[in-house]
Amino acid sequence: FFPGVMEKLGLGPEVLLEENPRLIYARLTGFGQTGKYAKSAGHDINYLALSGVLSKLGRKGENPYAPLNLLADFAGGGVLCAMGIIIALYERTKSGKGQIVDASMVEGTAYLSSFLWKSQNLGLWNRPRGENLLDSGAPFYETYRTSDGKYMAVGAIEPQFYEQLIKGLGLDSDKLPSQLSFSDWPKMKKMFASVFAQKTQMEWCSIFDGTDACVTPVLSFDDAASHQHNKQRGSFIKNDQEEISPRPAPLFSRTPAVPSFKRDPFIGEHTEEILLEYGFTKEEIAKLHSDKVIEFSKPKANL
């Protein structure tokens, strides 16, 4: 909701904290509870733009691009808000009091990018977008197309890893420019691209698997779930409808998560069941449904 909506419903934090002073009340919005844009509409790309991070994403000479809606919505928003709740819960063990968590996706994304801000003077980000070490400027931190139309990801930053990359590509390091010769990077990228284009993804995997060249296949969702490493760790799970999704992470040694193998519920599928559990009568639930306060959605039988 926009700031102020919960107050209009009579469910603002002041009301609820008075009822229960131990309550943790998390408010997750795009622009935060205050400020010029607080009541403006927006989406991931807008929060990313205002955080400064979007200006860093994109290839040389191209427009900045947003990586789906992962950064602001899920990372800067969801994860940082969840972390705020956990911190507030931990603080409550000492004070016995709850508090309000104001999670802004703009600020969460900016905080997530602290490394970019703090490392500006280290020479990592002092060149224009798309010409730096980690933003597709470097030939050894890039993706390359293979002969079968797939891709390999290369992240050979350290000299000893770079040497293994050069060896795997069948090139002679003595005949190449220095790894950090910025002016030679465009020419090197073309050379690497032409070499990678000569073999299939599987052929490159047979060359680089087991080395420290930091070269890995760019996997589709289907391929990621069936990849040997991920299968060995059980990184992906299949539900009773044969739908694949990532297993909960990270792993805990003493209290491991037990994922559900049931399909995801439909919106409203368990509304009546949960309200009955909490003491509502069938008549009250029917009234809430007829007043369109709640929604039902019963799954159809598979015939």
Side-chain angles (χ1 to χ4, degrees), residues 4 15 18 22 30 91 115 122 164 178-179 205 231 274 301:
V15 174
E18 192 174 330
R22 291 175 55 82
E91 192 280 335
F115 167 70
L122 298 180
Q164 292 198 42
S178 165
Q179 179 185 358
C205 286
K231 284 177 74 173
I274 290 167

Side-chain angles (χ1 to χ4, degrees), residues 2-275:
F2 290 118
V5 171
M6 293 302 282
E7 281 80 357
K8 286 179 184 175
L9 296 172
L11 296 170
E14 289 76 15
V15 174
L16 298 188
L17 282 163
E18 192 174 330
E19 183 76 21
N20 179 7
R22 291 175 55 82
L23 186 70
I24 309 298
Y25 193 110
R27 315 196 82 166
L28 175 56
T29 56
F31 300 108
Q33 294 296 309
T34 57
K36 179 180 177 180
Y37 286 4
K39 297 194 176 180
S40 299
H43 278 295
D44 185 287
I45 195 169
N46 307 115
Y47 315 139
L48 204 55
L50 210 63
S51 74
V53 176
L54 186 55
S55 71
K56 298 288 186 184
L57 306 178
R59 293 185 176 276
K60 180 180 178 180
E62 296 183 10
N63 295 356
Y65 73 90
L68 307 178
N69 68 323
L70 292 173
L71 263 184
D73 281 353
F74 295 107
V79 173
L80 268 289
C81 183
M83 190 170 81
I85 293 169
I86 291 167
I87 292 168
L89 286 167
Y90 178 69
E91 192 280 335
R92 190 176 71 182
T93 65
K94 299 184 175 185
S95 68
K97 296 177 182 177
Q99 57 184 310
I100 303 164
V101 179
D102 175 4
S104 153
M105 294 189 215
V106 172
E107 292 163 3
T109 306
Y111 186 53
L112 198 67
S113 71
S114 294
F115 167 70
L116 306 187
W117 293 83
K118 302 282 187 179
S119 62
Q120 287 181 96
N121 297 325
L122 298 180
L124 293 175
W125 308 104
N126 56 349
R127 300 169 69 83
R129 182 176 65 251
E131 295 183 23
N132 298 279
L133 185 69
L134 302 178
D135 65 358
S136 80
F140 49 85
Y141 203 89
E142 178 60 288
T143 56
Y144 292 99
R145 189 181 176 92
T146 56
S147 64
D148 54 346
K150 297 181 180 181
Y151 296 88
M152 298 298 288
V154 177
I157 298 174
E158 292 80 0
Q160 67 272 29
F161 301 158
Y162 181 73
E163 191 59 40
Q164 292 198 42
L165 166 66
I166 297 303
K167 181 182 176 184
L169 291 175
L171 300 172
D172 185 349
S173 58
D174 292 333
K175 296 178 182 178
L176 297 175
S178 165
Q179 179 185 358
L180 295 179
S181 176
F182 297 114
S183 61
D184 289 306
W185 278 3
K187 180 177 69 177
M188 293 289 289
K189 285 179 76 168
K190 287 181 181 177
M191 182 190 299
F192 287 6
S194 69
V195 176
F196 271 109
Q198 293 169 20
K199 289 182 171 65
T200 66
Q201 186 187 70
M202 189 175 291
E203 287 173 324
W204 285 119
C205 286
S206 69
I207 290 171
F208 286 112
D209 279 5
T211 75
D212 282 335
C214 302
V215 179
T216 48
V218 177
L219 300 176
S220 66
F221 273 20
D222 288 341
D223 290 340
S226 61
H227 189 272
Q228 186 181 13
H229 174 80
N230 294 332
K231 284 177 74 173
Q232 287 170 350
R233 286 185 55 81
S235 303
F236 294 86
I237 56 177
K238 200 178 277 189
N239 70 10
D240 56 10
Q241 304 287 304
E242 297 293 300
E243 297 167 330
I244 298 170
S245 62
R247 181 201 58 203
L251 300 181
F252 290 83
S253 63
R254 190 173 52 79
T255 58
V258 180
S260 170
F261 293 101
K262 294 182 179 178
R263 61 158 175 77
D264 293 339
F266 301 115
I267 294 174
E269 182 178 346
H270 302 114
T271 302
E272 184 176 12
E273 180 185 328
I274 290 167
L275 290 176

